[in-house]
């Protein structure tokens, strides 16, 4: 039986989540209650036993209403397929015209079989970061609401979360050690590992503005030599550089629309 979750299902959903993703129950609770909301969380149950779950998180793209599917946990593939189809059907009845996902390793074929196609490609490139004491920026001064505004400014063709859900994403990233660097000409989110800064998102007025942000981050972190940067495939920063990486997928309800230049990132990806 496929249905919306009920309050009594939460404990079983936490168990499914921790078994599948090896994350604490608190992460599951946050994803279900804060990132998706009970009204967007679906389960497959046999009697009182929850056998599968998926979250259909509200998002927008190009002014269109859609859902980001995540948190898929199931005892078997057939059950997962039925639940995904059920969630998509229910959300389309409520006005969703697309469904996005960020499949993990080995999951692409499952989503293709459910009517999804590749989208939201990324480029990954490496750059040396020079020392420049004059490069100025602030750190961890961007709120979730402000981040949503900045993403809309620099990348209007972006899969958007609302500020409350972006706050959940930022909380998860901060718990894993992310730093936000920003100034009047752009921003970036990065993790540091050894002598390398890994930028999971970088948006700026132009290449020079992006370099200033990286230089400011270098001065803060010290003993940093390079940056590994991930940007949208169609993003103008460092255009022509880097190698393409698959990232997301999309399923349309009704007529498809052009997403060749669209971008998706900073999502809970389980």
């Amino acid at each position: 039986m496929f249905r919306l979750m009920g309050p009594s299902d939460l404990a079983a959903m936490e168990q499914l989540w921790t078994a599948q993703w090896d994350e604490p129950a608190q992460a599951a609770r946050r994803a279900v209650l804060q990132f998706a909301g009970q009204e967007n969380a679906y389960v497959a149950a046999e009697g009182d036993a929850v056998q599968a779950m998926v979250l259909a998180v509200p998002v927008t793209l190009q002014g269109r209403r859609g859902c980001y599917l995540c948190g898929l946990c199931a005892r078997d593939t057939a059950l997962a397929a039925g639940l995904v189809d059920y969630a998509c059907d229910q959300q389309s009845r409520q006005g969703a015209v697309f469904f996005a996902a960020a499949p993990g390793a080995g999951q692409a074929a499952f989503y293709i079989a459910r009517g999804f196609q590749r989208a939201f490609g990324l480029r990954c490139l490496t750059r040396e970061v020079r020392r420049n004491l004059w490069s100025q920026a602030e750190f961890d001064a961007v709120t979730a609401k402000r981040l949503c505004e900045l993403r809309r400014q620099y990348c209007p063709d972006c899969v958007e979360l609302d500020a409350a859900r972006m706050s959940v994403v930022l909380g998860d990233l901060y718990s894993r050690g992310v730093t936000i660097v920003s100034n009047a000409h752009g921003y970036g989110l990065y993790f540091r590992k050894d002598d390398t800064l890994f930028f999971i998102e970088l948006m700026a007025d132009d290449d020079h503005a992006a370099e200033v942000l990286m230089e400011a981050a270098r001065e803060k972190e010290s003993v940093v030599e390079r940056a590994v940067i991930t940007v949208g495939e169609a993003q103008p920063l460092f255009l022509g550089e880097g190698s393409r990486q698959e990232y997301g997928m999309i399923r349309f309800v009704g007529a498809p629309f052009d997403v060749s230049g669209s971008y998706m990132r900073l999502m809970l990806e389980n």
Side-chain angles (χ1 to χ4, degrees):
M1 176 184 178
F2 302 130
R3 57 173 173 79
L4 274 176
M5 72 165 288
S8 62
D9 296 322
L10 184 58
M13 295 169 75
E14 290 174 350
Q15 291 177 357
L16 278 174
W17 186 285
T18 56
Q20 179 114 4
W21 308 114
D22 193 26
E23 291 184 347
Q26 181 181 0
R29 181 178 294 265
R30 183 172 62 249
V32 173
L33 299 183
Q34 298 179 39
F35 189 55
Q38 284 187 214
E39 69 279 11
N40 301 303
Y42 296 89
V43 299
E46 294 181 3
D48 294 329
V50 173
Q51 302 293 324
M53 61 173 282
V54 70
L55 308 179
V57 181
V59 293
T60 58
L61 174 61
Q62 301 175 13
R64 297 171 168 90
R65 177 183 169 186
C67 292
Y68 170 70
L69 299 183
C70 64
L72 178 61
C73 304
R75 307 288 186 194
D76 61 69
T77 302
L79 200 59
L83 183 57
V84 166
D85 288 342
Y86 176 81
C88 290
D89 179 68
Q90 294 299 303
Q91 288 289 332
S92 65
R93 292 171 186 267
Q94 299 174 39
V97 298
F98 72 92
F99 299 93
Q107 293 182 323
F110 169 85
Y111 282 94
I112 289 172
R114 307 264 59 76
F116 285 76
Q117 61 191 59
R118 293 285 190 182
F120 317 120
L122 303 174
R123 280 186 294 120
C124 185
L125 58 118
T126 301
R127 283 205 155 209
E128 300 300 312
V129 183
R130 67 189 182 95
R131 189 170 190 188
N132 186 347
L133 297 174
W134 299 104
S135 292
Q136 300 294 312
E138 296 182 300
F139 293 89
D140 297 331
V142 175
T143 64
K145 179 181 179 182
R146 181 57 180 154
L147 181 56
C148 290
E149 294 170 350
L150 288 169
R151 298 181 101 211
R152 201 170 298 122
Q153 172 186 339
Y154 285 105
C155 189
D157 194 358
C158 176
V159 177
E160 295 186 52
L161 295 165
D162 62 26
R165 291 180 169 90
M166 181 59 77
S167 180
V168 176
V169 172
L170 281 185
D172 176 69
L173 291 172
Y174 278 130
S175 73
R176 295 192 281 121
V178 81
T179 298
I180 302 180
V181 57
S182 62
N183 60 23
H185 301 287
Y187 73 92
L189 290 85
Y190 69 86
F191 293 93
R192 176 185 176 171
K193 183 177 181 181
D194 300 326
D195 65 347
T196 303
L197 303 179
F198 291 85
F199 278 85
I200 60 172
E201 182 162 287
L202 181 62
M203 297 196 184
D205 292 345
D206 50 35
D207 289 1
H208 174 69
E211 289 167 350
V212 169
L213 290 168
M214 291 188 289
E215 290 164 0
R218 183 192 193 281
E219 294 306 314
K220 176 183 184 298
E221 299 294 340
S222 303
V223 198
V224 167
E225 301 297 333
R226 66 188 59 83
V228 175
I229 308 155
T230 300
V231 295
E233 184 178 21
Q235 193 173 336
L237 288 184
F238 311 121
L239 197 60
E241 296 186 36
S243 57
R244 188 183 191 279
Q245 292 184 344
E246 301 289 359
Y247 178 66
M249 305 190 84
I250 192 167
R251 169 175 164 175
F252 298 102
V253 178
F257 52 93
D258 184 14
V259 295
S260 58
S262 300
Y263 172 77
M264 183 173 74
R265 195 67 163 147
L266 301 189
M267 313 294 279
L268 292 186
E269 295 173 7
N270 283 349

